[in-house]
Amino acid sequence: MYVQELEPLAGSLGLSALVAALPLVIVLVLLGGVRLKAHLAGLTGLLAATLVAWLAYGMPLDQTLSSAAQGAVFGLFPILWIVVNALWVYRMTVRTRHFDILRRSFGRLSDDPRIQALVVAFCFGALLEALAGFGAPVAICSVMLVALGFEPVRAAVVALVANTAPVAFGAMGTPVVTLAQVTELPLDTVASVVGRQTPLLALVVPLVLVWLVDGRRGLRETWVPALACGIAFAVAQFAASNYVSAQLADIGAALAGAGALVAVPQARRPAAEPVRAAVLTGARSEDLDEADPRGEVVRAYAPYALIVVIFSVAQIPAVKDWLAKTTQTYDWPFLNVVSADSDPVGANVFSWPIVSTGGTLVLLAGILTAAVLGVHARVAVREWAATVHELRFAILTVTSVLALAYVMNLSGQAATIGHFVAAAGAGLAFLSPVLGWFGVAVTGSDTSANALFGALQVTAARESGLSPELLAAANSSGGVLGKMISPQNLTIACAAVGLAGREGDLLRKVLPWSIGLLLVMCLIVVGQSSPVLGWMLP
């Protein structure tokens, strides 16, 4: 049995926290300073965490390696199992050219570039975030906006800023699932609190987008559809995350936002020519004028409808109970860890939700999508393999970061740092979103930031008398605002619109919005930690 220690070095909490933080510091310096590739930084950090756990904390080497293995397995299943299958569905729509049909369908909803930005970057971007995440929404939406006639820099900035409100529930809820796993808090509770924070961003972001597209005039002329879209998105995200399913939060929000936008008469009015001339300064794609048969348009929307239906059916109580029974539970080998209070940690037992996990449900939707789009089984399998190959470095990054997080959590390193940080007292409520923001800015992933800092936030919250659920959720909610300034996302945006090497230009344009919205989130969390907004929490 391994008993976690909070002060393994000379009985000093400060010295122990300094050494415990080394793996995190190494990862952040390698990513942000040295600009090493993410998977190499993750593997280096994992090596550092292993050495600290073994040499400084006295965790037996077999238990240290076993905890790393469990983290890597969790990274593969269910996290990457969801991402791979979701991106596979998208690749099949591209292969059959139904994605082009979908793009043209969006272009015909309105000729007003400000409304097009909301439909493509905010609503469809949220749907892509819900299904795949990991940079896909920024890349795809940037390209679609350029095809609609947006100037490349403007298209990239709009796509980056739009990729905020849905991030915490992206990739079928992967960030909040990871957060619940590493903090050992109930998923429903964590999702519920996040669902009472990020919807407030959704009220603001559409207004920011029309400002980015057309300045004061855009805000003055299209604030009604923008606000209607934001309210519908926020209400649906709140309702789904609190009362339905974290996995469906972004899908429901994206569809609700798009529906509200289309329903507002002002959104369907033709745009004045001066507006179009001022905003659409790029080359418009000629294929936008092609007419598509109604049946093909229906098939283009089918993959997303199938995912919604399958996940909705999975929430029916009888079906949900049956799926829960398929979960297999195992004693994880070579792992017998108790906390400093002598309580066994949850990681001693490993749960494997074979059928009920989101990735398996998306796989089923993908099989049905192949049938609906007419993709031959052999081609579908080849596309799935190509998806794995495309994500090979992301797979290595996620597994190494999760392995690092598990080693730090199980050895007691995260608890030591958490106890040390708790000295900030009530100020933690303000700093908590900043930590998540910094984590995502460096790693490019809300999932990775939650894995790295989730347990730390919970420990610090308990020591300072704040709500663990609130600070854990704040890590994720603050993190979504770091997405737009992460080097990974900036590089993806530049590559997508042909601006390679101009990441600095994009950073200067989005950084003020990132910091401004982060300040808003910090104030929300401070309010929720006090009687002022405490009534918002479940």
Side-chain angles (χ1 to χ4, degrees):
M1 179 184 293
Y2 170 68
V3 182
Q4 294 176 348
E5 282 189 67
L6 295 177
E7 303 172 353
L9 297 175
S12 167
L13 182 63
L15 179 60
S16 299
L18 186 65
V19 172
L22 278 177
L24 294 178
V25 172
I26 288 171
V27 171
L28 299 180
V29 168
L30 290 178
L31 281 172
V34 182
R35 294 181 179 266
L36 193 66
K37 291 186 182 298
H39 63 282
L40 296 176
L43 289 170
T44 306
L46 171 59
L47 176 60
T50 301
L51 292 174
V52 170
W54 179 35
L55 300 177
Y57 278 74
M59 188 179 197
L61 187 58
D62 60 342
Q63 297 217 45
T64 304
L65 296 177
S66 181
S67 60
Q70 185 177 160
V73 168
F74 179 69
L76 290 171
F77 191 98
I79 293 179
L80 288 163
W81 180 237
I82 296 172
V83 176
V84 167
N85 289 326
L87 203 54
W88 173 53
V89 173
Y90 162 71
R91 284 181 64 100
M92 286 193 290
T93 66
V94 171
R95 184 181 182 89
T96 59
R97 305 192 68 81
H98 283 89
F99 181 75
D100 292 333
I101 296 173
L102 193 68
R103 176 168 55 84
R104 288 193 287 270
S105 174
F106 289 158
R108 285 190 286 268
L109 287 175
S110 172
D111 72 344
D112 189 327
R114 299 163 300 190
I115 303 301
Q116 290 175 341
L118 294 175
V119 171
V120 173
F122 188 69
C123 298
F124 187 60
L127 189 60
L128 290 173
E129 183 67 38
L131 299 178
F134 291 89
V138 169
I140 295 165
C141 292
S142 297
V143 170
M144 290 178 74
L145 290 174
V146 168
L148 290 169
F150 280 68
E151 187 266 331
V153 171
R154 196 189 314 244
V157 169
V158 167
L160 284 165
V161 174
N163 191 221
T164 48
V167 168
F169 296 103
M172 301 316 241
T174 294
V176 290
V177 169
T178 303
L179 186 61
Q181 181 76 12
V182 299
T183 59
E184 298 185 7
L185 295 172
L187 173 59
D188 290 345
T189 305
V190 172
S192 166
V193 179
V194 175
R196 294 163 194 243
Q197 294 172 343
T198 55
L200 298 175
L201 291 177
L203 299 175
V204 180
V205 172
L207 298 171
V208 172
L209 294 180
V210 296
W211 173 279
L212 288 171
V213 172
D214 195 28
R216 282 195 186 88
R217 177 178 59 186
L219 196 57
R220 185 176 64 251
E221 295 180 0
T222 56
W223 70 269
V224 173
L227 193 58
C229 176
I231 290 173
F233 186 102
V235 170
Q237 192 182 60
F238 162 76
S241 60
N242 277 267
Y243 306 112
V244 184
S245 162
Q247 286 89 347
L248 285 177
D250 278 349
I251 293 177
L255 296 176
L261 198 56
V262 172
V264 176
Q266 190 174 338
R268 299 195 300 275
R269 293 176 193 156
E273 192 52 42
V275 173
R276 292 179 54 77
V279 176
L280 300 181
T281 54
R284 184 174 179 274
S285 178
E286 294 180 2
D287 74 342
L288 288 173
D289 299 320
E290 289 183 22
D292 296 304
R294 186 179 297 273
E296 291 303 303
V297 174
V298 171
R299 291 173 75 193
Y301 282 90
Y304 310 103
L306 284 168
I307 289 174
V308 172
V309 169
I310 288 171
F311 272 84
S312 298
V313 170
Q315 298 307 311
I316 296 172
V319 178
K320 193 172 184 177
D321 291 343
W322 176 80
L323 289 173
K325 291 176 183 175
T326 65
T327 299
Q328 302 292 316
T329 302
Y330 307 94
D331 288 327
W332 190 259
F334 308 111
L335 202 60
N336 185 11
V337 180
V338 297
S339 68
D341 298 326
S342 299
D343 296 321
V345 300
N348 291 331
V349 177
F350 182 75
S351 295
W352 190 24
I354 303 171
V355 180
S356 60
T357 188
T360 303
L361 298 178
V362 176
L363 177 66
L364 174 59
I367 293 170
L368 296 176
T369 293
V372 170
L373 300 185
V375 180
H376 191 278
R378 190 184 306 108
V379 175
V381 171
R382 200 156 51 231
E383 284 295 325
W384 193 90
T387 303
V388 173
H389 183 264
E390 179 184 336
L391 291 173
R392 62 193 183 282
F393 293 120
I395 291 171
L396 194 52
T397 300
V398 171
T399 51
S400 62
V401 167
L402 263 296
L404 181 157
Y406 267 61
V407 170
M408 290 191 65
N409 295 344
L410 292 176
S411 65
Q413 294 173 61
T416 297
I417 300 170
H419 279 72
F420 183 75
V421 171
L428 268 177
F430 186 88
L431 294 174
S432 186
V434 177
L435 188 59
W437 173 82
F438 181 71
V440 176
V442 173
T443 66
S445 164
D446 201 35
T447 299
S448 296
N450 285 345
L452 291 175
F453 299 133
L456 186 158
Q457 297 265 23
V458 167
T459 302
R462 286 176 174 147
E463 286 302 301
S464 59
L466 294 172
S467 163
E469 293 81 6
L470 175 61
L471 293 203
N475 192 82
S476 194
S477 298
V480 307
L481 299 167
K483 189 96 168 175
M484 68 178 86
I485 63 169
S486 72
Q488 173 184 311
N489 255 24
L490 290 170
T491 301
I492 288 171
C494 283
V497 298
L499 295 174
R502 293 186 59 184
E503 290 85 356
D505 294 342
L506 291 188
L507 177 61
R508 283 190 291 274
K509 289 181 179 295
V510 299
L511 183 59
W513 295 107
S514 178
I515 293 175
L517 291 171
L518 173 64
L519 179 59
V520 171
M521 181 55 65
C522 289
L523 294 176
I524 289 170
V525 175
V526 169
Q528 290 179 333
S529 70
S530 70
V532 178
L533 295 179
W535 53 269
M536 292 179 64
L537 299 180

